[in-house]
Amino acid sequence: MVVDARSGELRWGGGGIYSCHTEISVIYRFDRFVVDGDTRRLLRDREEIHLSPKALHLLQILIENRHRAVSKIDLQKELWPTTFVVDTNLASLIREVRQALDDPAETPRFIRTAHRFGYWFIGEIRDEESSDGPVVPRIKCWLVWATRQIPIDSGEYILGRAPDASVWVDAPGVSRHHARLILSGQDATVEDLGSKNGTFVGNEAVTSPRRLNDGDTIRLGPVVITFRIPPPAGLTDTVPLD
């Protein structure tokens, strides 16, 4: 994920949606299908359906971003971060995924084409659970900067200006690997990674791992990012993120 300092826009970085710093093993269930992020398999009625690694990665990206349509440009940058490809490469992968899901483009149940833009996963995910150990409710938090809201799940995120950063903050004064944010269940911490201009929570310099609470501001050089924890579902006095 990339935050551009000049435009405030969120875009994909060299590390993609989940970079090498963030490995999240999740099982997604929809209709008769299961996508197992740990074993990297697609199952239908417990039988494995062959998908190329690239096609499975594409399906996972669309599922993880199912709240919106994902542009072709973003998908290409995530799937082929260092290689120039033509649109037919992505179209071929989409056909492979649709064939595996028995999902015709004309009457889609899972993968909808957003014409002249990209693709959208429209299937209903029944549940999401970790593939290891007991099931723990997954807490999605947000990093809010200017008008952008960046969703994060349990895992480790490197914030910085380097292309391989999990959250790429492209701004002067931000170090290549500026800070590390760790989200585990309902606990979140941030620590400075020896940055030139320091990491602050509020007005306090971060000199050791610092616990984050809802509404805390994280300052990386000149950039101020707000950490938000949405209230539990069902509450009526919900606080807007923006």
Side-chain angles (χ1 to χ4, degrees):
M1 290 172 285
V2 180
V3 183
D4 190 300
R6 290 174 293 275
S7 64
E9 290 294 319
L10 172 65
R11 52 192 176 89
W12 304 125
I17 297 172
Y18 293 120
S19 75
C20 59
H21 302 291
T22 308
E23 294 293 335
I24 302 175
S25 298
V26 176
I27 294 175
Y28 296 101
R29 291 183 171 88
F30 58 97
D31 197 69
R32 299 162 57 193
F33 298 95
V34 173
V35 175
D36 190 328
D38 189 21
T39 62
R40 300 183 185 278
R41 295 187 302 164
L42 172 66
L43 307 175
R44 180 175 58 198
D45 297 333
R46 299 187 178 183
E47 293 187 6
E48 184 173 357
I49 301 174
H50 175 72
L51 267 186
S52 67
K54 238 13 157 191
L56 183 60
H57 189 190
L58 169 61
L59 178 57
Q60 287 180 292
I61 293 172
L62 293 175
I63 291 176
E64 289 162 357
N65 294 270
R66 59 192 177 277
H67 60 286
R68 65 183 180 94
V70 183
S71 73
K72 294 178 183 178
I73 293 176
D74 287 343
L75 289 170
Q76 289 170 347
K77 287 181 179 180
E78 173 62 21
L79 293 166
W80 297 279
T82 61
T83 306
F84 173 79
V85 296
V86 295
D87 286 348
T88 54
N89 294 69
L90 179 58
S92 296
L93 287 183
I94 288 290
R95 282 196 298 270
E96 182 181 349
V97 172
R98 282 174 166 160
Q99 183 176 2
L101 299 179
D102 191 21
D103 189 39
E106 298 78 12
T107 55
R109 295 180 298 147
F110 307 118
I111 309 294
R112 175 184 294 170
T113 299
H115 293 287
R116 298 184 180 181
F117 180 76
Y119 301 96
W120 193 344
F121 182 85
I122 58 174
E124 181 179 352
I125 300 296
R126 294 200 303 274
D127 56 22
E128 307 169 16
E129 60 187 45
S130 170
S131 57
D132 295 321
V135 176
V136 177
R138 298 173 71 239
I139 305 298
K140 174 174 285 188
C141 299
W142 300 84
L143 298 177
V144 182
W145 181 35
T147 61
R148 308 309 303 176
Q149 299 175 3
I150 307 171
I152 57 173
D153 289 304
S154 294
E156 178 180 316
Y157 297 80
I158 301 298
L159 286 67
R161 194 166 43 82
D164 63 346
S166 308
V167 178
W168 184 6
V169 183
D170 187 16
V174 176
S175 298
R176 290 176 56 81
H177 298 103
H178 197 111
R180 177 188 289 112
L181 189 151
I182 298 177
L183 182 62
S184 178
Q186 299 184 40
D187 295 324
T189 59
V190 65
E191 62 179 303
D192 185 72
L193 296 179
S195 65
K196 180 178 179 180
N197 293 316
T199 300
F200 296 79
V201 174
N203 295 319
E204 297 182 8
V206 175
T207 58
S208 61
R210 165 71 181 267
R211 183 184 177 94
L212 293 173
N213 298 307
D214 180 41
D216 280 345
T217 56
I218 306 168
R219 179 157 59 86
L220 313 177
V223 175
V224 178
I225 299 172
T226 303
F227 177 76
R228 298 305 310 266
I229 304 175
L235 291 184
T236 57
D237 55 344
T238 53
V239 179
L241 295 175
D242 52 359

